[in-house]
Amino acid sequence: MATAAAPSPNEYISHHLVNLHVGEGFWTWHLDTLIVSGLVGIVVFGLMAWVARGATAGVPGKLQAFVEIVVGMVHQQVKDTFHAKSDLVTPLAITVFIWIFCMNAIDLIPVDFISGLLHLSGVEHFKAVPTTDPNATFAMSLSVFALIIVFNLKFKGFGGLLHEVLTAPFHSDNIFMQALLAPVNVVLRFIEEVAKPISLALRLFGNMFAGEVLFILMVLLAGVWDGANLGSGASFVGHVILSLGWGIFHILIITLQAFVFMMLTIVYMSLASESH
């Protein structure tokens, strides 16, 4: 009985970069991104809610102490950066940092582990890291962008926002000159605002996608993929050594990307609440 031919390196890489999806074109739904991001949110924030309910004013347990350290760190960043009054910014920053960090951390799970298990159940493609999907990163960045607009209107009002758009960054006391500068200010403001969600989304997606590709390439480089099966003992050891080294470095990357997304969110909220 003939056995199925092993995939080529290109086929192996391509296979790991395809989402589990339904629908076509614009109406394509990436089910793996939705499922994993939703499960991560439920588990992580459910755990934090459970810790909060059982919190004590005495000597905290290890889990409570860890949660307090993370929340305290984020709160301090908000306090140092956001100078207006809002009850939304700190919870938003905590949600952004913890959720993105936990989604990024899935990238530390061996490349073929989750997809291999699901393959046994008949699932052909499954990308387990939501932040390697631009749909997820753009959804988060556009949510932040919507809040930027809300904060602009809340703190400045429609008239104040319109005045700022027409008179910043170039301002003149001469009314005629200001009328000439107004179109330039509008164009520059439009570019500035549009760049915010695009940079947020592409920075997170680009770094995490590159990390995912590197993990896949290490499987091939270490010889785990040998053209016939997923490997001998020696190739497996080589794969583990390479992946462990990159994985330790990748911990810094996944933390840094979550921190950068959080800090930029706070900065954008601060800019939206201040008049220029």
Side-chain angles (χ1 to χ4, degrees), residues 189-251:
R189 181 58 179 258
F190 176 80
I191 295 174
E192 176 188 352
E193 295 299 324
V194 170
K196 291 175 181 177
I198 294 177
S199 63
L200 273 178
L202 293 184
R203 180 184 292 107
L204 178 59
F205 162 71
N207 282 277
M208 295 309 302
F209 184 80
E212 180 81 354
V213 172
L214 281 174
F215 274 123
I216 296 172
L217 291 176
M218 283 178 186
V219 175
L220 302 176
L221 182 63
V224 174
W225 180 89
D226 60 8
N229 53 58
L230 288 180
S232 63
S235 65
F236 177 76
V237 172
H239 166 59
V240 169
I241 293 174
L242 284 174
S243 295
L244 182 61
W246 172 245
I248 293 173
F249 178 70
H250 202 55
I251 293 174

Side-chain angles (χ1 to χ4, degrees), residues 63-194:
L63 186 56
Q64 179 183 336
F66 177 75
V67 171
E68 288 179 352
I69 290 172
V70 174
V71 172
M73 181 273 293
V74 175
H75 177 68
Q76 187 62 44
Q77 296 298 327
V78 174
K79 185 178 179 181
D80 293 340
T81 307
F82 186 83
H83 304 297
K85 292 183 178 180
S86 175
D87 296 328
L88 176 64
V89 178
T90 297
L92 173 65
I94 293 172
T95 301
V96 165
F97 178 73
I98 295 178
W99 196 25
I100 292 178
F101 173 81
C102 292
M103 289 191 291
N104 289 350
I106 298 175
D107 208 15
L108 299 175
I109 300 174
V111 170
D112 288 303
F113 183 75
I114 296 177
S115 60
L117 290 177
L118 292 173
H119 183 72
L120 298 177
S121 303
V123 178
E124 187 66 23
H125 301 285
F126 196 90
K127 283 180 65 179
V129 186
T131 46
T132 61
D133 184 355
N135 293 281
T137 60
F138 267 102
M140 291 185 288
S141 69
L142 289 174
S143 298
V144 172
F145 182 63
L147 288 173
I148 292 173
I149 297 174
V150 171
F151 269 52
N152 270 300
L153 293 173
K154 175 183 177 181
F155 287 94
K156 302 169 185 175
F158 180 78
L161 177 59
L162 182 61
H163 179 268
E164 184 177 279
V165 170
L166 294 175
T167 60
F170 301 115
H171 177 73
S172 175
D173 293 330
N174 185 291
I175 297 178
F176 177 73
M177 182 59 67
Q178 188 61 60
L180 293 178
L181 292 174
V184 178
N185 290 332
V186 171
V187 171
L188 291 177
R189 181 58 179 258
F190 176 80
I191 295 174
E192 176 188 352
E193 295 299 324
V194 170

